Amino acid sequence: MQVRVLFFATLRDLVGARQLTVEMTATSSTVAQLRQTLIATYPAIKDNLGIALAAVNEEYAFDKDTIRDGDEVAFFPPVSGGSLENPERPEVFRLPDQAINHDEIIAAISTPRTGAACLFTGLVRGQTERDGHIPRTESLEYEAYRPMALAKMKQVAQEIRGQWQKVEGIAIVQRIGKLQVGDNTVLIACSAPHRDDGCFEAARYGIDRLKEIVPVWKKEIGSDGQAWVEGSYRPKVEDQAGS
């Protein structure tokens, strides 16, 4: 059987390709067996692939899960468009390569009932005093597993709605591409009729959850070198959509 394999962040650099077509001898296999096949072909990825997360057909998968002919399998490290179908509960999900217009996003998730909006936005830092980071950053490079990232953004919005029923509008926007110090990188915004209707808490939950399950990574680039920043969160079965 043939499987299309996608690599992101550090794995992409080690393999030297974003995607490969892999031939498997059996008519079905598991994620664990595919890992071993890849390691046998690309020994340099052994350590990174051993701890990498997996997705089959744009949903988180685990080593015991079966893969079949024609499946798309993605491997990536732990993570570091818009919809207005319901005008009373607007949602925006985007992966732009241009600056985020905060006013435009707030307008997009506002309704005649909106009296409050809470917005979190991230910026490219030029200096970082944390282990595992380059001390002085000149730029960042973001990449995403686009179709899965958009699907997981929608999942985060559904989780927000399950906990804060009075939140009406939700926007989740993550920039990709190369960004300079001071550029905005990410935006989470939630709107509601009143400020005490959960929009503060929902926005905080949204950015924390994005960092856990939305497959987006960044590479820090500076005069001292460059490195992909990888997270530590390991997805659970309940992180799969519909669980």
Side-chain angles (χ1 to χ4, degrees), residues 66-83:
T66 300
I67 54 177
R68 294 181 173 83
D69 185 47
D71 280 350
E72 177 182 275
V73 183
F75 289 105
F76 44 82
V79 299
S80 114
S83 171

Side-chain angles (χ1 to χ4, degrees), residues 87-113:
E88 294 184 357
R89 298 172 74 79
E91 296 178 345
V92 173
F93 308 107
R94 298 178 187 169
L95 290 164
D97 57 6
Q98 300 295 323
I100 302 170
N101 184 325
H102 294 176
D103 290 340
E104 184 268 328
I105 296 294
I106 293 298
I109 63 167
S110 296
T111 74
R113 289 170 44 84

Side-chain angles (χ1 to χ4, degrees), residues 200-212:
F200 287 96
E201 297 85 354
R204 174 58 187 265
Y205 177 89
I207 185 60
D208 290 345
R209 196 68 169 129
L210 179 147
K211 296 289 186 180
E212 290 179 341

